[in-house]
Amino acid sequence: MAGPRDAGTAARLRFPWRATFVVWALLSALSAVWALATPIGASPDEPAHIVRAASVARGQIVGTPSPDGHVVTVPEYIALTQKDTCFAFKPDVTANCPVAAPAAPGALTTATTTAGLYNPLYYAAVGWTSLLFHDSGGIYAMRLVSAVIASLFAALAFGVLRTLPGRRIAALGFAVAITPMTLFLNASVNPNGIEATATLAVFAGVLAVVIDRRPGLIWHRAVIAGVSGIVAVNARGLSPLWVFVAAVLPLVLLSGRELGALLRRPAVLTAIGAIAVGAVAALAWTLGSNSLLNAVDNPDQTPQHYAGVGTNPLTGAWLTLTRTVEFAHGVVGIFGWLDTPAPAEVYFLWAALVGLMLLAAFTLLRRRRLLLAGLLLGAFLLLPPIVQGVYITGGGLIWQGRYNLPMFLCMVVGVGVLLGESVLEGATGPGHWTTAPWASVTWRRLGWIVAVALAFGQFYSFENTLRRYTVGIGGSLKQMLVGSSPWTPPGGAAALLALFAGLCVVGVWLTLREAFGPRAPKPAPALVTPAATGLE
């Protein structure tokens, strides 16, 4: 039972809003540099999303079906993005597309979008900027708004993790989870980025409530999980699946009695109710618009047709499972229109770090923690084959690695938290092995290696992608920095490269500060006693 000292500690608990704001600012800045360095239309299906956002901002929630997508009315500079993609699928072609600027950029015209049936929440959140600008500034503003919102949910997840006793290893896990692809999607007009980070915030909130039984922070965590859940389930058609898995899996850490006590907490019930309301709204839109199956039921209303139609579900699932490693590249970094992969060294780096985390988890964890780690890995590996298997007969092979980013973030962060909890117990258990001098030296060396390696991977991915669009894959770095490049991003390539490098250095400093900082107090173990549950 929690004693008076535990109650006093709980009363003094405060959510780390300042640290959360700092991480929000850093992630927003990194994503903003990606937004400026990426040519307009140079992310997956971005022209369709740009048109969708601008049309929703003007009150066109659906548009008119046509063989080329849904027809809507948008400014001419928005419609022009459909043509400004001469580099798509051509890594040797720079972003200098020979498309004439419109005579009247703000004049309204018709355009088509293949995203016409997607949930309008995200598009309303970013599309309003197109009402303020009458040139490409409106599109860059959409990207920046998207980057700030997506980074907010990632930062809230970090803030939740920072309240946990094992936060030092959790901080490194969070840094590993934020891959170059995460920042790239955050900086694109695409709901994929917000879907991933908001789902992570749901997972972090639920996991923190389950692991840390002190009552002082439960409302903060519940509100973060509830609000994030509302946004996450309404991001894309498959989002309710990711949110359900993220919210349910941490509950395996609880016994039946503990789960019953948790479900009697007002804060927990409020979070569940908020997510449920958001899920009902999301499912109502998906079923009412038939957005997931429209391409199957109405093939004449979409220009996108995929191979594999008619394949049986088991074959579709097997084909997806055998391509797991290939699809895993998509959560680390496949930029542009799947035509600009990250350097091989970057894939190796993330594979090594994630592999070491999983190896440590399946070596050190026990009982329910080991079960949760296994379920997280299973969800990451098996949900894509299941989804593709269900869809392939009518819709064909549609899976891309980035679709699985929500589960990747939850898996890596979850394993980091579980390892942190396990090491914390080792520090206070028999032998006190983690308090030995060699353990401190080893941890500091490991922290430096991981932080610096991640910064290198982020910078190398950014530089490689920027070079691809300015001078082409394998082009001259000197020409990109000081020469006359065929395409130049706003602000210039050299300035953006220097700014990104500086932000990576800040990221290393913040990561090490968290990794080497003091441990939080160990939580009280009781959940079902009146003092711990607030049910007195």
Side-chain angles (χ1 to χ4, degrees), residues 338-422:
L338 306 182
D339 55 16
T340 310
E345 295 87 348
V346 174
Y347 295 135
F348 173 82
L349 169 63
W350 255 271
L353 292 176
V354 175
L356 286 174
M357 290 181 66
L358 291 172
L359 178 62
F362 289 107
T363 302
L364 300 176
L365 300 181
R366 297 291 183 268
R367 300 183 180 88
R368 293 180 183 270
R369 289 175 183 164
L370 179 60
L371 174 61
L372 177 55
L375 290 174
L376 287 169
L377 177 60
F380 175 73
L381 295 177
L382 299 179
L383 283 178
I386 292 172
V387 172
Q388 180 62 89
V390 170
Y391 188 81
I392 191 171
T393 303
L397 289 165
I398 51 88
W399 194 259
Q400 295 181 30
R402 63 186 174 91
Y403 297 160
N404 205 19
L405 188 59
M407 285 300 95
F408 174 81
L409 295 180
C410 293
M411 178 186 71
V412 176
V413 168
V415 168
V417 170
L418 294 173
L419 287 173
E421 294 294 306
S422 179

Side-chain angles (χ1 to χ4, degrees), residues 210 213 251-265 368 525-528 533:
V210 168
R213 281 69 179 290
L251 302 182
V252 303
L253 295 175
L254 301 174
S255 67
R257 189 182 179 195
E258 290 172 326
L259 178 60
L262 191 67
L263 293 178
R264 291 193 293 271
R265 301 292 296 268
R368 293 180 183 270
L527 175 66
V528 296
T533 60

Side-chain angles (χ1 to χ4, degrees), residues 313-329:
L314 288 178
T315 301
W318 176 251
L319 289 174
T320 307
L321 184 62
T322 58
R323 298 173 62 187
T324 295
V325 174
E326 174 188 342
F327 287 133
H329 290 174

Side-chain angles (χ1 to χ4, degrees), residues 1 58 94 129 131 149 212 255 278 353 365 379 421 426 478 523 525:
M1 179 180 293
R58 288 163 176 79
T94 68
T129 61
L131 300 173
I149 297 174
D212 188 353
S255 67
L353 292 176
L365 300 181
E421 294 294 306
K478 179 179 179 181

Side-chain angles (χ1 to χ4, degrees), residues 121 249 275 294 408 473:
L121 180 63
L249 285 190
I275 296 174
N294 183 65
F408 174 81
I473 287 287

